[in-house]
Amino acid sequence: MKLINLVVLPIIVPLFIGTVLLLFRKSLLAQRALGLFGAAATLVVSLFLLAKVAEDGIQVVTLGSWAAPYGISLVSDMLSILLVATASLLTLLVLWYSVYSLGEKRELSFFYPATLFMLTGINGAFTTGDIFNLFVFFEVFLMASYVLIALGGERIQLRESMKYIIVNVVAAALFVITIGYLYSITGTLNMADLAVKLGDIGSMGVISTVAIMFLVVFGIKAGIFPLYFWLPGSYYAPPLPVLALFGALLTKVGIYSITRVYTLIFTTDVAFTHDMLMMLAIATILFGSIGALAYMDVKKIIIYNIVIAVGVILFGVAAFNEVAVTGSVLYLIHDMLVKALLFLMIGVLIFITGKTNLREMGGLIRHYPVLGWTYLVAVFALAGIPPLSGFAGKILILQGGLEGGFVWQSIVVALSTMVVLLSAIRIFIYAFWGAEKSFNSPPKAKYVNRMIPVVILFVITMGYGVFIEFLMPLFQATGTQLMDSSLYIDAVLGGEK
Amino acid sequence: MLLFMAIVLPILLAIFIPLAYRSMKSIHTGWFVLLAPVLLFLFYLRFLSPVQQGEAQLARASWVPSLDFYFDIYIDGLSLLFSLLITGIGSLVVLYSIFYLDKTKENLGNFYVYLLMFMSAMLGVVQFDHTLALYFFWELTSISSFLLIAYWYKRDASRFGALKSMMITVSGGLMMLVGFLTLYVLTGTYSIRETIAQVDTIVDQPLFTVAVVLVLLGAFTKSAQFPFYIWLPDAMEAPTPVSAYLHSATMVKAGLYLVARFTPVFAYSEVWVWLVTGIGLLTLFWGSLFAVKQTDLKGILAFSTVSQLGLIMSLLGLGGFAYLVTGDAVETFTFATFAAIFHLFNHATFKGSLFMVAGIVDHETGTRDIRKLGGLMSLMPVTFTIAMIGSLSMAGLPPFNGFLSKEMFLDAVLGLLHADISTMTVAYLVPIVAWVASVFTFIYSIYFLWYTFMGSRKEEQLPKVPHEAPIGMLISPAILGSLVILVFFIPNVVGDWLVKPATAAIQSSSFASAADIEFYIKAWHGWTSPALWMTVGVVVVGFLLYKMLPKWQSIYSKWPERFTLNRGYDTLMDGSLNWNRALSDRFMTGSIRDYLVYMFAGMAILGITTLFTQGGFAISTEGLAPIRLFEIVLTIILVGSVMAILITWSRLTAVIALGGVGYTVALFYVIFKAPDLALTQLVIETISVALFLTAFYHLPKLDKHYKGKEDTSFRLGNFLISIAVGLTVTLIGISAYAQRQMTSISEYYKETVYTEAGGGNIVNVILVDYRGFDTLFEIGVLMIASIGIISMITLRLQKKKKGVTVDEIE
């Protein structure tokens, strides 16, 4: 096998191992061991690929050797592989956490294969260089997410999964229709080829319209205003490990897709399309803020924080200069890590107290200091307090925003930090401080078990902040690749042109 | 590097504190902690002489060089003064805390970790020349303050007081950050010194004023200026050593530091100087006015701190005028800066001692409520003496250092009248406000002293039997009290070594070094000094008003509670929960119908407005097939079937109508000569209709459950939205077809299907070869769907409840 085919592995490995897992339905050990192994193997191959991309630049595989733009291209550029690696890492840690927390019945009911299939779809979506193939991978991870959201068959799960499916079926139909529009105008599906052709055509009203329709399609997944309404309810229903996966990964596929098409393909009418994205990003921040502050339910608080972060990241994409876009990618990875971390932490919190309402909690810091202090630090990271993980990204986003002349919007973004901080620190103040309340706390050993993956993720997330200097070359390369689309185009179409 | 190590020394020490606390219970942890500030104080003392001669100390440590993020240390007179205050007062406070906090009852580990963290943070704030590094440590001070205020975390007042201080100071910090980034965008450097060097090029840019206001927000929130001061009184929930240290001597002065540090940049802006002066004066007045209302000893001191910070702030603002004027007036205004720094130093000494006194009173009597206290003079003579020195200095009386700086303050505000400033009428207000505020300052100083130590004893109201504090607790306030007197007699030693180097740093356009400053502090300016007569007036009027205090103190309660700033904050905090909840409940109904309405409406508005405003709409009839009877009939059947699905109450009818839709589409394929697609479509439709029929046969009848209950009445809004969605999809489709730009890649498939792909059926070849990867994963989707179905059938963690209908899905 040529090393260049490495690009396929982060997609194929989880698919293969997930399929093998279907053969060992009854064995808990096999499910756990192979499930974790599958995620770990995916992580290892993505790290190899990351090293390869960092060293040799953008990696491309055109499947079946039908040259681009006729066959399907898989493209690993820096943005893609960073997201693939992060998604694989988080899947591994969440699966580890699930071993202790999910319950045997769910574990034996295809939880591990479904998660690996979801990873397949997510990694595929991050990697593909073909817009129709992107749709296919959307279907893959969506179908897997349908399985996961309903897994367990509790009433709230069935009710919410129904809504979730309806919204996503609508989005999928719209996706195909929009691809149809684009194909009708350009006659091609390969993203690099689209970039070339739309660049040749220049600014055109109908193309801007299609760009906005893509924003709607991906916006439904990403959870931007006015399309995020389905998200809080649906994410609330499944068990926490699933929620952590959804919160950390699924909206990010939407963000990724918007970033991809708005940096590679639709760049001919930036004054209109990106301003529209800017407006929607700001509105998303505002509406997310309403929700984040409105509830005393720990799950809801963090869920609405997803929405705020979506707005912040897309603000950077909309500002559309290298500084801001680099900041967005830095912040995107940070947000994936820290959201997964927070969801797992409140998972432990709910496990200890048996409640989700903050008003019924109190005084936990005395008996659970590790959880309490790590949670507090994670909140500061979420709010972008230096030297933690959110800082570098936030600085660049704001700086890029100011450079682009978006002054009041930048102030809104900065203030959104206050909403994030207030909403998340409420959990700390109510649950960990205050008078001690008594709970039927489970045995300490179970708490410790769950804390192991949590602490590991905590250390990784903090490392992402404190030692960000070592990763900066990767992110600078990402920014360069995103703002100079010729690098992507040449990598895909290079030979023919 | 040594300088950087000095900054982080306390944090490094903090790592070992929990260990020391746990393993050496018999020794009070504070003794280990004391090492850090004492060592650092001695360390920074070494720089006094070089810095006075204008040799600033430089060092650099890097964090993220790729982002141009360095910890650049630059110690000039201003930084050094603050560093000495932080470590000097820090040493005294730690010493005091050893006797104040009981080593058996309190969790000292936590306390000292937070305190050491703060010390590092604060040193960083005053020493970093790099704005991002400054911001970093600025937030760290807010966080350590948050943790210290909530030290007794079980109390509601503590944790919510901590939250309040953090919300206000961190949001100010964020605004400051945006201000710094704006400066960076303007100058391309994060270094404050480099920014100063290129100030000429940026003052005229519109973003400059934005930066001014944003940075000021940071300074005002941190230094408890009006209207942000409300966090400071609530911060008094912290243990008293913390109040003495953070909330009077150091952290609250970070805002003053920031203003002083940025004066050479921003003082060219009139907005800056007037805002700093105006807000400072307002705060001075407001704080002194409300200090008299307080009944808690620490409450009085908190408001007094607010007021004094306002005083220093206004002096710094006046100093800024030096950058706007020329000629003799420059000297008047640089003198204001000189006075500001001198008073900053004096305030640290007398306010620090007063806080420690309040702590002693609280510790020995069990209460800080001034209404229960009185007559403690004879029981606690040493404490009383220190309190007297502090209070009278605060009131501005000789022979204490407060007298000197208060006189200088009055001189400075009078100086404004002589200067040639555009808005003269406003300038007249300044001395009046300053004088009135001084009167109230006098009143609350005497109020604090007399009500605690004079008058009749009320021992029955005290929780504890009062007695003099242990010697250890008295050392620190006594040292500060001696300084208060000492400085009065040798003010120019302080002036030459500390105040002048700091002033030179702030007034860098007027003075190249400390040696150029020729101000001389003296207590006696002769009978003609207007400041002297103003002071006399303050004492006389203040004394009279103090005597009548019982008669007018009740005025304060006349002010309706509803209109206080605290109430405003509380409303905002509760509102953030309740209003948002009410708002959120209004649209987050949980109903998927509502959500789809929003989403479809959003989609249609975005799509249609873009299409028409961007001129994307176009129709082209070129290349269209003629419309024949077939198509018309098929369209009618298609639309009819769709309508039938919506209208019918029978599941069977709906399924059959759905099949009708599918078959009609298949017929369209036939007409348009795509037999393979038609065949596929027919197979799919047949299978799915059969499946639906089998499954739905077992479901309860729709009409039984819904007919009559379901609101099926016509809704105009929904009707319009559905029309709009249809139009969006159709119109964009028409436009996209009409504006076809390129030939399709499918030409390539036609050319190569026989030759290179070696297949016969182009659709098949596309599916399994050209785009086989799509097909592979479409099959994957089916596999995933099947496991989903199995798990839904086999796993039900919750028992079925009888009578549950599909209602809940809505």
Side-chain angles (χ1 to χ4, degrees), chain B residues 568-591:
Chain B
Y569 170 84
D570 292 343
T571 315
L572 199 68
M573 278 322 236
D574 293 346
S576 78
L577 193 63
N578 300 331
W579 296 336
N580 281 321
R581 182 62 192 266
L583 191 63
S584 184
D585 283 349
R586 189 162 291 189
F587 57 82
M588 296 307 288
T589 55
S591 156

Side-chain angles (χ1 to χ4, degrees), chain A residues 171-215:
Chain A
L174 197 62
F175 196 171
V176 178
I177 292 171
T178 311
I179 291 175
Y181 296 151
L182 194 58
Y183 184 75
S184 165
I185 297 168
T186 61
T188 186
L189 295 168
N190 182 294
M191 293 198 225
D193 197 32
L194 279 167
V196 173
K197 290 193 170 153
L198 290 182
D200 291 346
I201 295 167
S203 168
M204 239 184 117
V206 71
I207 294 172
S208 302
T209 315
V210 174
I212 295 299
M213 291 311 284
F214 269 112
L215 184 56

Side-chain angles (χ1 to χ4, degrees), chain B residues 548-568:
Chain B
M548 294 187 291
L549 185 61
K551 295 202 176 70
W552 58 268
Q553 203 177 17
S554 58
I555 294 176
Y556 288 108
S557 51
K558 297 275 194 297
W559 184 262
E561 184 68 22
R562 275 192 297 145
F563 297 115
T564 58
L565 286 166
N566 264 321
R567 191 57 183 270

Side-chain angles (χ1 to χ4, degrees), chain B residues 132-159:
Chain B
L132 290 186
L134 196 165
Y135 167 77
F136 176 171
F137 278 58
W138 183 276
E139 296 297 39
L140 204 55
T141 61
S142 296
I143 290 168
S144 40
S145 160
F146 166 77
L147 293 169
L148 282 166
I149 297 171
Y151 172 64
W152 287 302
Y153 60 83
K154 289 182 186 174
R155 296 186 193 164
D156 278 355
S158 297
R159 55 184 180 146

Side-chain angles (χ1 to χ4, degrees), chain A residues 70 130 133 155 163 181 183, chain B residues 590 729 744 749 771 774 798:
Chain A
Y70 307 109
D130 183 284
N133 194 237
R155 283 203 306 140
K163 296 177 190 172
Y181 296 151
Y183 184 75
Chain B
V729 172
S744 164
Y749 299 146
R771 302 191 64 90
D774 281 345
Q798 209 170 31

Side-chain angles (χ1 to χ4, degrees), chain A residues 400-410:
Chain A
L402 289 167
E403 269 173 26
F406 303 101
V407 176
W408 70 263
Q409 292 93 331
S410 301

Side-chain angles (χ1 to χ4, degrees), chain B residues 370 373-376 384 388 391-392 444-455 543 546-547:
Chain B
I370 206 161
L373 295 167
L376 295 176
F384 165 72
M388 188 185 70
S391 311
L392 297 183
Y444 71 68
S445 302
I446 305 298
Y447 170 65
F448 175 87
L449 186 64
W450 241 254
Y451 275 57
T452 313
F453 293 99
M454 303 297 199
F543 190 71
Y546 170 74
K547 275 289 166 200

Side-chain angles (χ1 to χ4, degrees), chain A residues 97-111:
Chain A
Y97 180 88
S98 311
V99 169
Y100 302 117
S101 76
L102 195 70
E104 287 184 17
K105 283 187 177 161
R106 279 195 172 105
E107 286 183 82
L108 284 174
S109 198
F110 304 115
F111 170 73

